[in-house]
Every structure is written in structure tokens, then in C-alpha cells.
Amino acid sequence: MNPRSPGPQTDTQPDGEEDSSSSSGLQSENRDAAAADPGDSSLAVDVLVSLPVKGRASKTGYSRSRFGSSWPDVDDNGCDTRNDILNRDLTDKTHEAGTNDCIVLTGVLNDPYTGKAISFQRGQNTSNAVQIDHVVALSDAWQKGTQQLFVETRVRFANDPYNLLAVDRPANSRKGDGDAATWLPANKSFRCGYVARQIGVKHKYGLWVTQSGHDAMNGILVSCPTQAAPRDGGVITAIQATPEPAPTPAPQETQQQQSTGADVYYPNCTAVREAGKAPLHEGDPGYSTKLDRDRDGVACE
């Protein structure tokens, strides 16, 4: 088949968007937008065909808080979302005593984005080596449908394990809020699984893709036409022994990245404040470590 065309202590990590009430045009099914699940039997190419192809909506009104606070305990299991994902994705874990195996102290991440094994050690200067990435970035999702959803659904979206992966910090920073047209994992063996998960997330929450995003996803799936959209919450393990260097974007990709705000440069914090973007969190467009002098993941506070 060929691809077709059209509670416990929180280990905090900044992750690149406050709520307004839902718009009058919302349909009632938006209340349960998270109910749909493509399932193991759904080929990613088939799910991609079902996604609407539309232009990117305005980013006006976007902020991290539109999706609730970072890493709450949304499932009431006594463990915050970040530690839930660390527990799911890390191996050889140890836990803080008295937390019912919630707070991860140490572990090993077989990073899907780079193919590297990363040692995790909880601490002020070490925890951030492993970040929790929104596979479909919150800013990207805001511009492709989530601003039309109820805030409760957006909170579910931001904390849904289906849309979360523990990953390498530098790789996550390079991704920013890019979609498949502007960023793909350096680990080529994970690219099919990566775009399949993005497709599954967009299907689950009724989001759309741009034409460039659709074409990029379709182009990846040419090499893996039997790739299934992952089952809800599942983890794809496709790790190669040796990481490959990040690909150099083609000129048209770079131009698109600049036009969508995924590649923003600020020379200093004055420029950030004048643009109305302060503070910048790691993963936000324009964030850089030179603006984040205390290296806490928040620049120009």
C-alpha cells in the first residue's frame, strides 16, 4: 500500500502557553475530543488521509497557561505527569522513598530523538537533561485547532501520555514548536514512529495539518507504508545504537520555519520584552541559553 496525498513533589521542567472561555461556535463533541483512538490496526497513512488540510491559524492569544499548569496530577494517581512519563519511559529506575515509586531519582533513557542512552539523575542541575516533549507542540496545536476546544480538553491534551515522550534536552530545544515540515528526529529509525504518533494525536483531538506538514508526513511514510498509528498511550521503541547528526534543513524548510515563528532570534532580553514575549521558557521560539543566565529554563524573567 502506498501513502496517499490529500500530589507528590513535582520535578518541574519549563515546556513551551491562560484560559479564555470556550467560543460560542464550539460543537458539543469537543467536550469529548480525547475519546477517539486510532488503535493498533489503523495505518498511519490512512489516518493521515482523514486529517483536514488547512492553513495555520493565528497564534494570537496563545500562552502555556491556555493548557493549564505544567505537570499536574490529572489522573489522580498521586503522581504528577512528568514523573508518570519518566516512570514509563526510563529503565533501571530508582525512586525517592515514601513516594509510592512516583518520584524518579535515577534511571536511563534510551532517547528516541537521538538514539543515545542518557543517564538521568534527579537534581537542580541534572534533572533537565531529560525533558518531557509534547510530540505535537502546544503552540503548534493552538494554531491547528486546540484554541477551539474547551479548556478542560486542552488540559487533557497537554497531559495526555499519548502526546508525551521523555527525550534529550538539546534535541527538544532544537525542535521548539516545529511540526514535521520543520523538524524531524536525527534518529532516522524513529521518524516513522514519530510522525505516526503526531498523526494519531491530531486525529484523537480533531486537529488539522497544513499542506506542508501533510506532505512532510506523507514523505516519511513512503518508506514505511505499514506503520501503524501507535495505540493510545503506548511507547514506540525504535532506538539505533549510534546517533546520526541532525539533518540540515533545505532552504525552503528554513524559510517556512522563519515564517511560522519556529526560528526566532532575540539579541537580548530588551528585545524580548519589547516584543511582549518575556519570559521565555526553554522550547519557546527565540529562547537561548545566553538569555537564561541562571540556566533554570526561564529567560528574561
Side-chain angles (χ1 to χ4, degrees):
M1 177 177 180
N2 293 323
R4 309 168 187 174
S5 57
Q9 176 186 358
T10 300
D11 183 10
T12 57
Q13 169 222 326
D15 194 317
E17 318 189 27
E18 66 220 65
D19 173 57
S20 58
S21 58
S22 56
S23 65
S24 58
L26 289 175
Q27 300 298 316
S28 60
E29 59 264 29
N30 282 342
R31 295 182 183 275
D32 300 308
D37 175 10
D40 279 332
S41 62
S42 296
L43 295 180
V45 290
D46 292 332
V47 183
L48 177 59
V49 168
S50 74
L51 299 180
V53 178
K54 303 194 313 186
R56 185 186 294 266
S58 170
K59 193 177 177 180
T60 301
Y62 168 81
S63 68
R64 174 62 177 86
S65 59
R66 295 283 188 181
F67 294 80
S69 60
S70 296
W71 313 136
D73 178 13
V74 293
D75 55 5
D76 295 324
N77 69 346
C79 195
D80 62 86
T81 299
R82 174 168 164 81
N83 277 293
D84 279 339
I85 302 305
L86 291 175
N87 272 297
R88 186 194 67 180
D89 292 358
L90 269 59
T91 61
D92 300 325
K93 300 181 294 287
T94 63
H95 297 87
E96 183 175 316
T99 65
N100 294 318
D101 289 346
C102 168
I103 297 180
V104 179
L105 293 179
T106 61
V108 176
L109 172 68
N110 290 321
D111 176 47
Y113 287 176
T114 65
K116 300 185 299 184
I118 300 173
S119 295
F120 171 80
Q121 182 173 353
R122 182 181 174 84
Q124 182 175 356
N125 299 317
T126 56
S127 291
N128 219 25
V130 173
Q131 295 190 337
I132 309 303
D133 180 42
H134 291 98
V135 179
V136 176
L138 301 186
S139 172
D140 182 65
W142 179 260
Q143 297 171 82
K144 296 172 184 175
T146 59
Q147 61 182 280
Q148 299 172 4
L149 301 179
F150 292 119
V151 62
E152 295 86 356
T153 304
R154 293 201 297 267
V155 172
R156 290 203 301 272
F157 177 88
N159 293 276
D160 189 342
Y162 193 29
N163 190 33
L164 298 174
L165 290 175
V167 299
D168 171 64
R169 172 184 175 176
N172 192 31
S173 295
R174 285 191 294 269
K175 174 186 173 181
D177 62 358
D179 62 9
T182 59
W183 186 89
L184 290 167
N187 180 12
K188 292 183 179 180
S189 69
F190 188 68
R191 289 183 179 180
C192 286
Y194 175 75
V195 300
R197 184 172 290 268
Q198 285 195 328
I199 290 167
V201 169
K202 286 178 177 286
H203 175 273
K204 179 174 181 178
Y205 286 89
L207 310 184
W208 67 81
V209 292
T210 60
Q211 187 64 60
S212 60
H214 172 280
D215 293 347
M217 291 172 167
N218 196 63
I220 292 296
L221 294 175
V222 166
S223 65
C224 48
T226 60
Q227 173 72 51
R231 186 170 178 82
D232 196 358
V235 180
I236 305 171
T237 53
I239 308 301
Q240 61 184 33
T242 304
E244 298 189 23
T248 301
Q252 62 271 26
E253 293 176 330
T254 301
Q255 181 178 5
Q256 179 189 25
Q257 188 175 28
Q258 292 173 341
S259 66
T260 60
D263 185 15
V264 178
Y265 171 73
Y266 297 109
N268 51 50
C269 284
T270 298
V272 175
R273 296 186 181 99
E274 288 177 349
K277 300 299 183 180
L280 286 174
H281 295 82
E282 186 168 3
D284 285 350
Y287 171 90
S288 68
T289 54
K290 78 171 188 176
L291 301 175
D292 184 7
R293 296 185 177 181
D294 57 3
R295 299 297 194 271
D296 65 347
V298 183
C300 304
E301 296 122 300

